[in-house]
C-alpha cells in the first residue's frame, strides 16, 4: 500500500497552458429518465416524450470557465419565453411521477459572469390515455306525416388523451366501420371537449339492440395500453328522471332536523344518484342514504343549494336543486335623513325627516318591521308615512317619514325587525329625535395628528366624534392602494380608535377616518387624517464584504446607511476581531469609514461597524486578509482520463486557473489533497508554481488512480501570507470521447457520456448502459451478458432489452460522433454478446455526411452466438465525414438481449487473423501491467511468464514490438 501511495504522489510539475480559458457558458440538454422518445419536430424544436406517472430526468451539460451555474425554469407551453419565479438550481432536473400539467417547455439557463448566459430549451410532451366515457342519446322523429316514427340512437364516446386517440367501435365481437350499412354512421362532432367519436344508429332496427364497445388507443405509444368501455343497448334504454319531496326553495329554522327525498321515476340502466352542495362541501352533520338527504341540527352555515343528480350515461343527467334557507337575522342599523329637498344636513322644525331601519336577514323578503314611538305603536297619518320597502335604500329597508316636523314629534322611536311565527328572536334599534339630535363632527385630538412608534410595537390612531347619535368610524388608507392590516380595504370602529398590533414599516402613511352613513345621520361623511410614522433600525451595506490585499497595502472600509427612520447616523462603533476600536469623532453623515494603513497578519481579520439611529443597530462585516482566493477548477479538459481498462488504473489531468491572482501576493505553491471517496485517508503533496497570471491554465496529472473509483481533490493556494481559500471537486473515471479525427482510442462505456455516442431519435427504443451492479434483479434469465468484457462487476457495457413492451422488429440505434476523414481506410473493432434463443440481429452501418446522410450496412450478424463475448473487426473506407451506427433488432421473443463493449476505431487495415477475446485481454494485461509494477525484478519475471503463455507467435511478436 505504501508503494502505491508513493507512485500515486509522483509529482508532475504545474505547467502553463496559455491564455483564453475564460469562456462564456454553453449548454446542452440531454435526457436520462424514462423517455419514450426524444425527437425533433417540424420546427426543429427538441421534444421529449414521456408517459404520465414516469420519472422525468433532464440534464444540462455545460461548458465554460469559470464553471457555470445552472438554473432550470419552465413555461406552460410555447407561448411565453419569460422565466417563472419557481426554478431549480441544479444541473439535473428530476420530476417523480410527472403529471400532464407539468408538460411544457423547460429551460436550462447557464451563466458564469463571462459573456451572455446560455439558454437551451426542450419541450416535454406528457403522454396519457384516460378511461373513455360513453353516453347515449336518442331522438324520435315523425316521418311521412306521422304515419310512423323513426328512432335514432347516438353513442358518444369521449376520452382525454395525448397523443390523439384512435377509436374502434364494436357491436358484440364485430368491428363497425363508417357506412358499413345504411343504419350505421361514425363521425367526429364539432365543438366538443376532449376527443369524441359518435356511433349513429339510424332508424333503430331489432339487430341494433346489442352490446356496444368503444375501444380507444394511442397505438401503444410509451407502452400505454388500449382502454375500452361497453354498453348494452335494449328497447328499454332510457334517461333518468327525478322528483323531489319538497319545493325548490325550503326555509327552515336553526336546529331543525330535515330530510329531503330525491326519488327516481325512470331510467335504464339504473341511474346512480348523488347529492352535492354549493358553494361549499356537504356539511358534516349530513347523511346521504340512496336518494335521501338528512341534515341534523341544521346551522345557518348549512344554507345553500343542494343538488340531486341522477346519471346513467343515457341522455343528459337529471338534476333537481333545492335552495335551502336557514332563517337568521343580524346587523340591525338605522339612518336619520334630514329634508332632502331643502338639502338640509340637520333636524329642523317645519322640515321633513325620514327614519330608516334595515336588518340583514335570510330570507330577506320575509322580514317584517314594526315602528314604535315612546313605547306605543306608531300609527300612519297624513304626516306620518311608513314604507316597508324604501326604493331609495337597500332592498327590504323600512322607512318612517315625518312630514313638517313639529315639537310634538320629538321622542324615542323604536324599530323592531321580526320573522313572524318563527322561533327567531326579534332585533330592534332605538333612535332619539330631539333638539339635541345633531349631525356629527370629527376631529383629531390635539397632539394625535402624527403618531410615531417603533417597528414591532403597538400603535393607536384616534379620531374624536361629536354629535348625537355618534355614528361608527370607518378607517382607510389614503396614500397607498393597499388594504388595512386586517386585510380589508376599510375597518370599522365604534369608539373612533384604530388599534394596530406589531406594526411594520410598510404600515407607515396617512390614514383617513370618516363617519359612517348608518347608525347616525345619512349625510355627507365627515373625515379627518392621521399620519403614522414607523421608526425602524438602519439598513446598511455592505452586510458582508471580503477584502483581499497584498501584504503592506492599505485599505479603507466604509459602512453606508441606505435607509432607516430616522434617517441619520447617531453612533458608529468599530470592532476588530470583537475588540472595540477607538476612533476620533466624525461629522454626522450617512456612513462611517475606517482606514487600515497596512494589511499584515496582525491587522488581518474581522472588522465590524455597528451603526445606530437611536432606534436600532445594524452591522457591516468586513473580512480583511492577504490570503489568496480559491482556485477555479477547469471542467472542460478534453479527455481528462488516460487509462487502459484491463489494467484497472487510470490517470487524470487536473486543470485550473487562479481567481484574481493579482489581488494578493504571488502564489508560491499549491497544497494538493487527494482522498478516495470510499476511504477517510487523505494523501497530501505540494505543487510548485513558476508563474501566475489571471486566466492562465495550470495542470497537474494524477497517476495510478483505480478504475472506476472516484476521488475528492482539494487544492489550496499558498502565498507568503499563508494558506488561501481551498477549492474542492470530485473527479470520476471518464471514458475518452472520440475526437473529430479518429485516433486509436477505445470506448469502454464507463461514464454516462458514452464517448459522445447518441441515441437515434427516429428508432423504436434506446440502447441501455449498465453493469453487473445495476442490472435489474428481475431481468430475463438465459439471455444477456453477466458482466462486461473485463469480467468485473464495475465494468459497463451497452445492451438492448428485448422484454415488453418491445415487439419483433423493433430497432434501437446508437450513433457515434461525426468523424473527419484523415485516412483512406479504417477498422471498426468491437466485442458483441448475442446469447438467447430469441436473438434478433446486430447490424453495423456507416453514415456518410454529404448533401444528405446515406446509411450503408457494412456488417450484420443474427441468431444465438453463445454466452460469451466475441470480437469482430470490420474494415470501412468512407468517402467523406462519417458516423458509425450500431443497430440492434429485436427478435421473436423476450430472450433476445444483445450487448456491445470496447468499441475501437483505428486508421488503416483490420488485422488479417483476428485475435480471440481471451487472448487479446491476456495480451493487454501482459503488456500494461509489468511496467507499472513497483519491483523491477518481479516485473521482468511476470513479463517472461506472459511471453511464454501468450497464444500464438503473433501475440508474442506484438509484445516484442511494444517492448521496443
Amino acid at each position: 500500500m505504501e508503494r502505491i501511495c508513493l507512485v500515486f504522489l509522483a509529482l508532475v510539475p504545474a505547467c502553463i497552458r496559455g491564455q483564453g480559458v475564460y469562456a462564456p457558458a454553453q449548454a446542452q440538454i440531454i435526457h436520462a429518465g424514462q423517455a419514450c422518445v426524444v425527437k425533433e419536430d417540424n420546427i426543429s424544436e427538441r421534444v421529449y416524450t414521456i408517459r404520465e406517472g414516469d420519472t422525468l430526468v433532464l440534464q444540462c451539460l455545460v461548458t465554460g470557465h469559470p464553471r457555470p451555474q445552472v438554473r432550470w425554469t419552465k413555461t406552460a407551453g410555447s407561448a411565453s419565453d419569460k422565466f417563472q419565479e419557481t426554478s431549480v438550481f441544479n444541473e439535473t432536473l428530476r420530476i417523480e411521477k410527472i403529471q400532464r400539467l407539468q408538460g411544457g417547455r423547460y429551460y436550462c439557463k447557464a451563466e458564469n459572469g463571462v459573456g451572455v448566459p446560455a439558454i437551451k430549451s426542450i419541450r416535454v410532451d406528457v403522454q396519457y390515455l384516460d378511461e373513455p366515457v360513453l353516453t347515449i342519446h336518442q331522438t324520435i322523429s315523425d316521418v311521412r306525416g306521422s304515419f310512423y316514427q323513426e328512432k335514432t340512437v347516438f353513442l358518444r364516446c369521449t376520452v382525454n388523451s395525448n397523443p390523439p386517440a384512435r377509436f374502434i367501435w364494436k357491436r358484440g365481437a364485430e368491428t363497425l366501420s363508417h357506412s358499413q350499412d345504411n343504419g350505421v354512421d361514425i363521425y367526429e362532432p364539432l365543438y366538443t371537449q376532449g376527443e369524441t367519436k359518435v356511433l349513429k344508429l339510424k332508424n333503430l332496427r331489432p339487430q341494433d339492440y346489442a352490446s356496444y364497445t368503444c375501444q380507444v388507443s394511442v397505438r401503444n405509444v410509451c407502452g400505454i395500453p388500449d382502454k375500452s368501455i361497453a354498453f348494452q343497448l335494449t328497447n328499454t334504454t332510457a334517461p333518468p328522471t327525478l322528483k323531489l319531496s319538497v319545493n325548490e326553495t325550503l326555509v327552515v329554522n336553526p336546529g331543525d332536523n330535515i330530510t329531503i327525498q330525491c326519488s327516481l321515476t325512470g331510467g335504464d340502466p339504473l341511474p346512480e344518484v348523488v347529492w352535492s352542495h354549493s358553494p361549499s362541501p356537504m356539511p358534516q352533520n349530513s347523511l346521504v342514504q340512496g336518494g335521501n338527504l338528512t341534515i341534523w341540527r341544521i346551522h345557518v352555515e348549512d344554507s345553500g343549494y343542494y343538488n340531486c343528480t341522477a346519471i346513467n350515461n343515457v341522455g343528459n343527467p337529471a338534476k333537481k336543486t333545492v335552495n335551502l334557507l336557514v332563517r337568521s337575522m343580524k346587523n340591525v342599523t338605522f339612518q336619520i335623513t334630514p329634508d332632502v329637498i331643502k338639502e338640509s344636513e340637520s333636524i329642523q322644525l317645519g322640515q321633513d325627516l325620514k327614519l330608516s331601519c334595515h336588518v340583514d336577514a335570510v330570507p330577506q323578503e320575509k322580514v317584517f318591521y314594526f315602528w314604535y314611538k315612546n313605547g306605543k305603536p306608531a300609527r300612519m297619518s297624513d304626516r306620518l308615512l311608513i314604507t316597508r320597502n324604501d326604493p331609495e335604500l337597500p332592498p327590504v329597508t323600512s322607512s318612517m317619514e315625518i312630514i313638517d316636523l313639529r315639537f310634538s314629534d320629538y321622542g324615542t322611536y323604536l324599530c323592531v325587525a321580526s320573522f313572524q311565527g318563527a322561533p327567531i328572536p326579534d332585533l330592534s334599534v332605538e333612535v332619539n329625535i330631539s333638539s339635541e339630535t345633531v349631525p356629527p363632527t370629527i376631529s383629531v385630538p390635539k397632539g394625535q395628528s402624527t403618531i410615531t412608534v417603533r417597528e414591532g410595537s403597538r400603535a393607536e390612531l384616534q379620531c374624536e366624534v361629536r354629535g348625537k347619535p355618534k355614528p361608527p368610524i370607518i378607517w382607510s388608507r389614503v396614500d397607498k392602494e393597499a388594504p388595512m392590516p386586517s386585510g380589508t380595504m376599510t375597518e370599522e370602529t365604534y369608539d373612533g380608535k384604530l388599534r394596530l398590533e406589531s406594526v411594520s414599516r410598510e404600515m407607515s402613511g396617512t390614514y383617513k377616518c370618516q363617519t359612517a352613513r348608518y347608525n347616525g345621520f345619512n349625510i355627507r361623511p365627515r373625515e379627518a387624517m392621521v399620519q403614522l410614522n414607523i421608526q425602524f433600525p438602519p439598513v446598511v451595506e455592505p452586510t458582508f464584504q471580503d477584502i483581499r490585499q497584498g501584504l503592506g497595502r492599505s485599505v479603507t472600509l466604509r459602512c453606508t446607511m441606505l435607509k432607516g427612520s430616522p434617517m441619520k447616523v447617531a453612533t458608529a462603533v468599530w470592532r476588530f476581531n470583537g475588540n472595540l476600536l477607538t476612533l476620533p469623532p466624525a461629522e454626522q453623515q450617512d456612513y462611517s469609514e475606517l482606514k487600515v494603513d497596512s494589511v499584515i497578519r496582525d491587522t488581518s481579520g474581522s472588522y465590524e461597524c455597528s451603526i445606530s439611529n437611536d432606534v436600532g443597530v445594524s452591522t457591516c462585516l468586513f473580512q480583511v486578509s492577504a490570503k489568496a482566493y480559491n482556485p477555479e477548477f477547469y471542467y472542460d479538459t478534453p479527455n481528462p482520463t488516460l487509462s487502459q481498462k484491463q489494467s484497472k488504473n487510470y490517470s487524470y489531468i487536473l486543470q485550473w486557473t487562479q481567481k484574481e491572482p493579482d489581488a494578493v501576493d504571488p502564489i508560491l505553491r499549491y497544497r494538493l489533497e487527494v482522498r478516495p471517496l470510499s476511504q477517510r485517508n487523505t494523501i497530501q503533496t505540494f505543487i510548485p508554481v513558476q508563474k501566475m497570471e489571471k486566466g492562465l491554465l495550470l495542470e497537474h496529472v494524477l497517476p495510478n488512480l483505480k478504475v472506476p473509483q472516484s476521488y475528492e481533490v482539494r487544492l489550496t493556494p499558498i502565498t507568503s501570507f499563508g494558506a488561501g481559500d481551498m477549492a474542492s471537486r470530485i473527479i470520476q473515471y471518464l471514458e475518452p470521447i472520440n475526437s473529430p479525427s479518429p485516433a486509436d482510442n477505445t470506448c469502454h462505456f464507463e461514464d454516462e457520456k458514452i464517448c459522445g455516442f447518441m441515441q437515434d431519435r427516429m428508432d423504436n427504443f434506446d440502447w441501455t448502459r449498465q453493469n453487473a451492479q445495476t442490472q435489474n434483479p428481475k431481468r430475463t434469465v438465459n439471455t444477456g451478458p453477466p458482466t462486461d468484457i473485463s469480467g468485473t462487476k464495475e465494468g459497463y457495457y451497452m445492451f438492448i432489452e428485448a422484454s415488453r413492451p418491445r415487439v419483433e422488429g423493433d430497432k434501437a440505434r446508437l450513433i457515434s460522433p461525426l468523424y473527419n476523414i484523415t485516412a483512406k481506410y479504417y477498422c471498426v473493432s468491437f466485442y458483441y454478446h448475442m446469447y438467447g434463443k430469441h436473438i434478433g440481429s446486430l447490424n453495423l452501418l456507416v453514415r456518410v455526411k454529404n448533401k444528405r446522410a446515406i446509411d450503408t450496412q457494412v456488417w450484420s450478424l443474427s441468431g444465438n452466438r453463445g454466452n460469451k463475448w466475441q470480437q469482430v473487426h470490420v474494415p470501412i473506407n468512407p468517402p467523406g465525414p462519417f458516423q458509425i451506427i450500431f443497430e440492434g433488432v429485436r427478435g421473436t421473443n423476450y430472450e433476445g438481449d444483445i450487448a456491445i463493449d470496447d468499441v475501437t476505431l483505428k486508421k488503416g487495415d483490420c488485422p488479417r487473423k483476428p485475435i480471440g477475446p481471451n487472448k487479446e485481454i491476456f495480451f493487454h494485461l501482459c503488456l500494461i501491467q509489468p511496467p507499472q509494477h513497483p519491483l523491477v525484478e518481479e516485473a521482468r519475471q511476470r513479463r517472461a511468464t506472459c511471453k511464454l503463455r501468450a497464444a500464438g507467435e503473433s501475440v508474442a511478436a506484438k509484445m516484442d514490438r511494444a517492448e521496443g
Side-chain angles (χ1 to χ4, degrees):
M1 185 65 187
E2 291 181 359
R3 289 198 297 269
I4 293 175
C5 292
L6 289 172
V7 175
F8 177 82
L9 292 175
L11 292 182
V12 179
C15 60
I16 304 300
R17 279 297 182 99
Q19 303 184 34
V21 294
Y22 283 109
Q26 294 184 355
Q28 176 188 1
I29 297 177
I30 65 171
H31 77 278
Q34 297 171 276
C36 306
V37 66
V38 178
K39 63 182 181 181
E40 309 284 343
D41 69 6
N42 56 2
I43 57 172
S44 299
E45 180 187 27
R46 297 195 67 207
V47 182
Y48 179 112
T49 303
I50 187 171
R51 178 174 175 170
E52 187 174 49
D54 284 350
T55 299
L56 169 74
V57 181
L58 296 175
Q59 188 175 3
C60 190
L61 302 180
V62 296
T63 60
H65 188 70
R67 182 70 167 177
Q69 297 294 314
V70 173
R71 176 188 179 193
W72 283 98
T73 55
K74 175 185 177 291
T75 60
S78 59
S80 172
D81 291 333
K82 294 182 179 179
F83 285 100
Q84 295 181 341
E85 294 181 1
T86 305
S87 54
V88 176
F89 291 89
N90 199 337
E91 291 187 10
T92 300
L93 174 67
R94 184 181 183 91
I95 301 177
E96 303 281 353
K97 297 180 179 179
I98 191 168
Q99 300 301 305
R100 64 193 66 178
L101 294 179
Q102 293 174 300
R105 180 178 291 152
Y106 286 80
Y107 291 87
C108 159
K109 182 180 182 182
E111 54 186 335
N112 62 355
V114 180
V116 297
I119 301 175
K120 295 293 182 181
S121 71
I122 186 170
R123 183 160 59 87
V124 175
D125 192 17
V126 181
Q127 311 275 283
Y128 57 90
L129 177 63
D130 290 345
E131 294 290 340
V133 176
L134 182 59
T135 58
I136 292 81
H137 305 267
Q138 53 188 346
T139 61
I140 299 176
S141 59
D142 294 333
V143 179
R144 296 181 183 177
S146 302
F147 285 107
Y148 68 94
Q149 292 180 325
E150 281 189 353
K151 188 175 184 180
T152 301
V153 173
F154 301 86
L155 283 77
R156 180 187 295 261
C157 187
T158 302
V159 71
N160 292 315
S161 71
N162 184 32
R166 178 180 62 184
F167 292 79
I168 300 175
W169 282 101
K170 293 182 179 180
R171 178 195 286 137
E174 175 192 9
T175 300
L176 301 176
S177 60
H178 180 65
S179 299
Q180 178 174 335
D181 57 46
N182 292 333
V184 174
D185 270 347
I186 298 176
Y187 64 93
E188 183 174 332
L190 299 175
Y191 312 116
T192 57
Q193 290 187 348
E195 302 161 57
T196 303
K197 272 291 190 334
V198 173
L199 173 63
K200 180 181 180 182
L201 305 175
K202 300 179 290 184
N203 191 15
L204 208 62
R205 303 159 299 180
Q207 63 264 33
D208 293 329
Y209 294 115
S211 176
Y212 292 87
T213 300
C214 173
Q215 180 178 329
V216 292
S217 171
V218 288
R219 303 163 186 82
N220 203 39
V221 63
C222 294
I224 299 175
D226 295 352
K227 297 183 179 181
S228 62
I229 185 171
F231 184 84
Q232 183 71 41
L233 181 65
T234 69
N235 59 0
T236 61
T237 299
T241 55
L242 292 171
K243 72 174 183 178
L244 288 174
S245 63
V246 299
N247 295 327
E248 292 183 355
T249 299
L250 179 62
V251 181
V252 299
N253 297 315
D256 287 354
N257 298 328
I258 66 164
T259 297
I260 305 174
Q261 294 179 345
C262 184
S263 304
L264 284 170
T265 57
D268 182 24
L270 183 66
E272 177 188 6
V273 178
V274 294
W275 278 94
S276 62
H277 181 220
S278 60
S280 55
M282 294 288 287
Q284 294 183 351
N285 52 323
S286 66
L287 175 66
V288 176
Q289 289 182 320
N292 295 338
L293 169 63
T294 301
I295 305 176
W296 290 281
R297 296 179 298 279
I298 198 164
H299 306 119
V300 173
E301 297 77 15
D302 299 332
S303 296
Y305 290 93
Y306 287 81
N307 306 303
C308 175
T309 307
I311 303 172
N312 67 350
N313 289 340
V314 179
N316 295 320
K319 183 177 180 181
K320 295 290 185 179
T321 300
V322 178
N323 183 14
L324 182 61
L325 302 176
V326 182
R327 289 187 179 94
S328 65
M329 284 196 301
K330 60 181 180 179
N331 300 333
V332 61
T333 58
F334 71 89
Q335 288 180 317
I336 303 172
T337 307
D339 197 321
V340 177
I341 297 176
K342 297 182 178 179
E343 297 182 353
S344 176
E345 290 193 343
S346 62
I347 298 175
Q348 297 183 27
L349 294 176
Q351 294 185 356
D352 296 346
L353 178 68
K354 182 164 67 174
L355 305 180
S356 304
C357 178
H358 179 82
V359 67
D360 296 331
V362 176
Q364 188 75 53
E365 66 276 5
K366 298 297 183 181
V367 175
F368 288 87
Y369 295 94
F370 302 92
W371 287 93
Y372 298 85
K373 177 185 178 183
N374 298 328
K376 295 180 181 181
R379 300 185 182 277
M380 292 183 61
S381 66
D382 294 341
R383 294 182 47 254
L384 188 65
L385 304 178
I386 298 177
T387 305
R388 181 176 181 273
N389 198 349
D390 192 329
E392 298 177 356
L393 295 172
V396 195
T397 298
S398 179
S399 293
M400 183 176 69
E401 189 168 1
I402 303 173
I403 307 300
D404 188 16
L405 184 68
R406 300 173 183 176
F407 182 80
S408 59
D409 295 323
Y410 286 168
T412 301
Y413 291 84
L414 178 68
C415 174
V416 177
S418 174
F419 281 127
Q420 286 188 312
I424 307 297
D426 296 344
L427 293 182
S428 63
V429 64
E430 199 173 68
V431 185
N432 187 56
I433 301 299
S434 69
S435 59
E436 297 179 355
T437 305
V438 295
T441 60
I442 194 168
S443 62
V444 178
K446 185 177 181 180
Q448 298 291 310
S449 58
T450 300
I451 302 297
T452 302
V453 296
R454 293 193 176 188
E455 191 171 40
S457 62
R458 183 174 182 272
E460 185 175 278
L461 282 60
Q462 183 174 359
C463 286
E464 287 185 347
V465 180
R466 302 177 187 276
K468 187 177 181 181
K470 290 183 179 180
I473 299 300
I474 298 176
W475 290 88
S476 61
R477 302 193 69 167
V478 176
D479 54 351
K480 296 181 181 178
E481 286 292 334
M484 299 290 287
S486 61
T488 60
M489 296 306 294
T490 60
E491 196 164 327
E492 179 185 287
T493 64
Y494 284 89
D495 60 357
K497 295 180 179 179
L498 177 64
R499 299 171 178 86
L500 304 174
E501 305 292 338
S502 187
V503 296
S504 63
R505 62 194 70 178
E506 291 78 16
M507 296 182 187
S508 295
T510 304
Y511 289 76
K512 179 174 70 176
C513 59
Q514 67 179 33
T515 57
R517 301 182 69 167
Y518 52 87
N519 288 351
F521 277 76
N522 181 22
I523 58 176
R524 178 179 53 84
R526 277 47 172 166
E527 60 184 41
M529 306 291 177
V530 179
Q531 179 70 31
L532 176 62
N533 295 329
I534 310 295
Q535 293 184 331
F536 57 91
V539 177
V540 297
E541 74 168 4
T543 54
F544 175 79
Q545 186 177 5
D546 186 7
I547 298 176
R548 310 293 176 98
Q549 287 284 12
L551 288 173
R553 302 179 193 172
S554 65
V555 62
T556 299
L557 313 179
R558 171 180 284 196
C559 183
T560 303
M561 181 177 175
L562 297 178
K563 56 183 177 180
S565 178
M567 185 59 187
K568 65 176 182 178
V569 176
T571 59
V573 178
W574 286 87
R575 289 182 173 84
F576 171 60
N577 291 338
N579 299 318
L580 186 65
L581 297 178
T582 303
L583 300 177
E587 296 181 3
Q588 285 287 349
Q589 295 173 321
D590 61 355
Y591 65 88
S592 179
E593 284 187 344
L594 172 68
K595 183 177 182 181
V596 180
D597 294 326
S598 177
V599 176
I600 56 176
R601 291 185 181 276
D602 292 341
T603 58
S604 297
S606 176
Y607 289 82
E608 292 181 21
C609 176
S610 299
I611 285 183
S612 169
N613 64 348
D614 290 334
V615 175
V617 178
S618 293
T619 301
C620 296
L621 180 61
F622 304 89
Q623 193 67 36
V624 178
S625 74
K627 68 178 184 178
Y629 285 104
N630 58 279
E632 301 164 318
F633 283 113
Y634 189 68
Y635 288 85
D636 301 334
T637 306
N639 296 331
T641 304
L642 308 174
S643 68
Q644 288 291 337
K645 184 176 181 181
Q646 287 78 6
S647 71
K648 309 308 293 181
N649 287 340
Y650 71 97
S651 301
Y652 195 91
I653 302 174
L654 187 69
Q655 294 181 313
W656 71 93
T657 59
Q658 177 60 39
K659 179 179 178 180
E660 303 296 341
D662 298 331
V664 296
D665 297 313
I667 308 291
L668 303 177
R669 59 188 181 276
Y670 286 92
R671 180 174 66 225
L672 176 67
E673 300 168 283
V674 181
R675 178 185 67 85
L677 289 183
S678 58
Q679 301 178 15
R680 294 185 178 180
N681 297 332
T682 299
I683 309 301
Q684 175 179 297
T685 188
F686 291 92
I687 305 172
V689 176
Q690 305 294 332
K691 180 183 179 183
M692 178 65 65
E693 291 181 11
K694 183 176 182 178
L696 296 187
L697 192 63
L698 287 83
E699 178 180 299
H700 181 81
V701 179
L702 303 174
N704 290 6
L705 307 176
K706 298 300 179 183
V707 175
Q709 285 192 26
S710 298
Y711 295 80
E712 181 190 24
V713 175
R714 296 183 178 183
L715 196 61
T716 307
I718 299 176
T719 64
S720 55
F721 178 79
D725 292 342
M726 180 269 294
S728 68
R729 66 167 293 189
I730 303 298
I731 62 170
Q732 299 173 318
Y733 175 69
L734 300 173
E735 294 281 5
I737 297 178
N738 292 322
S739 60
S741 298
D744 293 353
N745 50 26
T746 299
C747 181
H748 306 294
F749 303 112
E750 292 299 331
D751 75 275
E752 294 181 355
K753 296 182 180 180
I754 56 174
C755 314
F757 277 82
M758 299 179 297
Q759 307 282 358
D760 192 344
R761 302 189 186 103
M762 305 304 293
D763 56 8
N764 305 110
F765 66 111
D766 286 348
W767 287 79
T768 303
R769 172 180 170 269
Q770 76 171 20
N771 62 13
Q773 295 175 336
T774 61
Q775 288 176 349
N776 187 340
K778 298 181 180 180
R779 69 187 182 94
T780 306
V781 297
N782 300 323
T783 187
T787 66
D788 75 335
I789 183 63
S790 71
T792 61
K793 293 182 179 181
E794 297 84 6
Y796 282 88
Y797 56 89
M798 301 295 292
F799 88 110
I800 62 168
E801 172 61 67
S803 300
R804 292 183 60 187
R806 305 277 67 84
V807 297
E808 183 177 1
D810 278 0
K811 296 179 180 180
R813 286 185 161 201
L814 192 65
I815 306 176
S816 76
L818 182 65
Y819 301 113
N820 295 323
I821 286 290
T822 58
K824 185 174 182 180
Y825 299 103
Y826 295 91
C827 182
V828 181
S829 303
F830 60 93
Y831 286 90
Y832 64 86
H833 190 285
M834 301 172 67
Y835 169 56
K837 62 183 179 181
H838 304 134
I839 290 292
S841 301
L842 176 62
N843 304 321
L844 179 67
L845 300 92
V846 174
R847 173 175 294 173
V848 177
K849 292 284 188 177
N850 204 329
K851 292 183 179 179
R852 62 184 182 90
I854 301 176
D855 295 351
T856 304
Q857 182 172 301
V858 295
W859 179 87
S860 180
L861 193 64
S862 303
N864 187 356
R865 299 293 164 169
N867 189 11
K868 59 183 177 180
W869 286 100
Q870 302 181 67
Q871 190 180 34
V872 64
H873 306 282
V874 182
I876 61 174
N877 58 337
F882 67 96
Q883 296 168 288
I884 60 174
I885 302 173
F886 288 94
E887 180 183 72
V889 184
R890 201 259 197 185
T892 57
N893 216 323
Y894 58 87
E895 291 186 17
D897 296 353
I898 298 174
I900 60 173
D901 199 5
D902 286 17
V903 178
T904 303
L905 180 63
K906 297 182 180 181
K907 299 178 185 178
D909 295 329
C910 292
R912 295 183 179 180
K913 294 182 179 181
I915 303 172
N918 294 333
K919 299 174 184 178
E920 183 74 10
I921 294 172
F922 183 73
F923 159 67
H924 281 300
L925 290 172
C926 292
L927 184 63
I928 296 170
Q929 290 289 350
Q932 296 179 354
H933 203 278
L935 301 179
V936 177
E937 187 60 35
E938 185 177 344
R940 289 175 178 173
Q941 293 176 5
R942 176 178 290 190
R943 187 163 187 79
T945 302
C946 286
K947 294 186 72 172
L948 289 173
R949 292 179 59 192
E953 293 183 1
S954 59
V955 177
K958 279 188 177 182
M959 294 175 61
D960 290 335
R961 289 197 301 271
E963 187 177 25

